[in-house]
């Protein structure tokens, strides 16, 4: 290649280079301060505030019990939704959209930080786009869910094994069966698609990362946010109609069913 051709080629590359947005502050910015603890904290704060404000609007003590129940369901549902939104904001999942709303964009340095550069072991507790990190996060989450499901199974076997006494209330026992079922199903779904699809598949096809790494990370943390509402149903009356939520038992279930519903909806989005 002659010198003239080399100069012309370099000019073409310089002209076709994508201009990078101006860096505002330190690379990563807000993401430096976000992790699973900030997500949990903001989720709890937002859910508590939502419950406190909503409780002033719910028609407590009304003579119409059906109307009061509808208001209570709306209050608990709004509290669960506030938890999910607050957690996702606190974990840093919406950092990109927030910056776009302010007229900025994600720079190359920001993208590298989100991919785990310079985060050390903290990247496993943060909103990270590295497909290997996300795969490990899925694996750990699946193992935790399998452990929870196994614990619920042991409680069920305890009730069945103690034939001379009633260990648990019948409604709580039915809730254990339903919660055990849905926890194990979710765990078995993600234990296949999560670690294999995220950690191994990109390596097998020679890809540097997933096609949409930020959506990939968003998917995991939505799953993480969906677990507490599901487990909290045991404290709110449980799901007494099994993990399938058969009707009309699903409609007649206590407010613990809302935790199950929010979990399924959030899991579907993930």
């Amino acid at each position: 290649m002659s010198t003239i051709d080399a100069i012309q080629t370099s000019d073409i590359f310089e002209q076709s280079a994508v201009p990078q947005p101006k860096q505002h502050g330190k690379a990563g910015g807000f993401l430096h301060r976000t992790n699973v603890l900030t997500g949990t904290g903001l989720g709890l704060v937002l859910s508590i505030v939502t419950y406190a404000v909503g409780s002033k609007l719910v028609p407590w003590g009304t003579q119409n019990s059906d109307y009061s129940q509808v208001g209570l369901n709306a209050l608990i549902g709004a509290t669960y939704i506030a938890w999910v939104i607050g957690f996702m904001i606190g974990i840093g999942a919406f950092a990109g959209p927030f910056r776009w709303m302010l007229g900025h964009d994600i720079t190359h340095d920001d993208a590298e930080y989100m991919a785990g550069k310079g985060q050390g072991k903290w990247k496993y507790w943060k909103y990270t786009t590295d497909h290997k990190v996300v795969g490990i996060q899925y694996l750990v989450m699946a193992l935790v869910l399998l452990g929870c499901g196994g614990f619920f199974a042991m409680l069920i076997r305890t009730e069945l094994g103690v034939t001379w006494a009633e260990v648990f209330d019948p409604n709580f026992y039915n809730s254990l069966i339903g919660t055990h079922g849905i926890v194990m199903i979710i765990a078995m779904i993600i234990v296949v698609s999560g670690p294999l699809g995220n950690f191994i598949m990109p390596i097998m096809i020679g890809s540097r990362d997933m096609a949409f790494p930020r959506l990939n990370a968003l998917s995991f943390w939505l799953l993480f946010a969906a677990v507490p509402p599901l487990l909290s149903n045991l404290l709110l009356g449980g799901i007494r109609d099994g993990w399938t939520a058969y009707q009309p038992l699903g409609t007649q279930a206590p407010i613990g069913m809302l935790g199950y519903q929010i979990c399924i909806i959030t899991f579907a989005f993930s």
Side-chain angles (χ1 to χ4, degrees):
M1 180 184 296
S2 64
T3 305
I4 298 177
D5 293 336
I7 294 175
Q8 291 177 348
T9 303
S10 63
D11 291 340
I12 293 175
F13 280 117
E14 289 178 359
Q15 294 174 2
S16 61
V18 178
Q20 285 292 318
K22 183 179 179 181
Q23 179 73 48
H24 295 270
K26 189 177 181 181
F30 173 72
L31 294 173
H32 274 278
R33 305 176 182 87
T34 59
N35 51 58
V36 68
L37 297 179
T38 59
T40 303
L42 185 58
L44 289 175
V45 169
L46 191 58
S47 59
I48 291 173
V49 171
T50 301
Y51 183 85
V53 174
S55 62
K56 303 298 183 181
L57 306 177
V58 172
W60 300 107
T62 181
Q63 295 181 355
N64 190 337
S65 59
D66 293 336
Y67 184 58
S68 179
Q69 185 63 34
V70 170
L72 180 60
N73 289 339
L75 174 61
I76 300 300
T79 302
Y80 278 133
I81 294 174
W83 151 258
V84 174
I85 295 176
F87 178 83
M88 298 308 294
I89 294 175
I91 198 67
F94 299 148
F98 283 162
R99 294 195 65 177
W100 298 333
M101 292 171 60
L102 296 175
H104 306 316
D105 200 354
I106 299 294
T107 65
H108 179 70
D109 293 336
D110 291 328
E112 284 192 336
Y113 181 82
M114 293 176 66
K117 182 179 180 180
Q119 294 189 28
K121 294 182 179 179
W122 270 104
K123 61 186 177 183
Y124 296 101
W125 302 95
K126 297 171 71 72
Y127 182 81
T128 308
T129 58
D130 185 355
H131 72 96
K132 294 181 180 179
V133 175
V134 176
I136 294 174
Q137 289 172 335
Y138 267 115
L139 178 61
V140 173
M141 173 60 72
L143 294 177
V144 171
L145 290 178
L146 288 173
C148 291
F151 175 71
F152 293 148
M154 294 303 297
L155 295 181
I156 295 172
R157 300 307 300 179
T158 300
E159 175 65 45
L160 296 177
V162 181
T163 58
W164 60 89
E166 185 179 276
V167 180
F168 302 114
D169 177 78
N171 290 326
F172 183 78
Y173 176 75
N174 289 337
S175 299
L176 275 179
I177 294 177
T179 306
H180 162 77
I182 190 62
V183 165
M184 295 299 286
I185 288 174
I186 293 177
M188 292 308 299
I189 291 175
I190 66 173
V191 78
V192 176
S193 61
L196 295 179
N198 285 276
F199 194 102
I200 299 178
M201 188 59 66
I203 298 176
M204 292 178 62
I205 65 176
S207 175
R208 292 187 300 174
D209 208 329
M210 303 291 284
F212 301 99
R214 273 179 280 177
L215 285 178
N216 188 42
L218 179 69
S219 175
F220 168 76
W221 289 111
L222 278 174
L223 169 65
F224 188 96
V227 173
L230 174 62
L231 299 181
S232 67
N233 81 83
L234 296 173
L235 304 176
L236 298 174
I239 47 176
R240 305 171 186 175
D241 49 351
W243 65 269
T244 53
Y246 284 130
Q247 299 299 330
L249 295 178
T251 305
Q252 301 169 358
I255 57 176
M257 175 58 71
L258 290 173
Y260 169 86
Q261 294 171 344
I262 294 297
C263 171
I264 295 300
I265 294 173
T266 307
F267 181 65
F269 274 106
S270 71

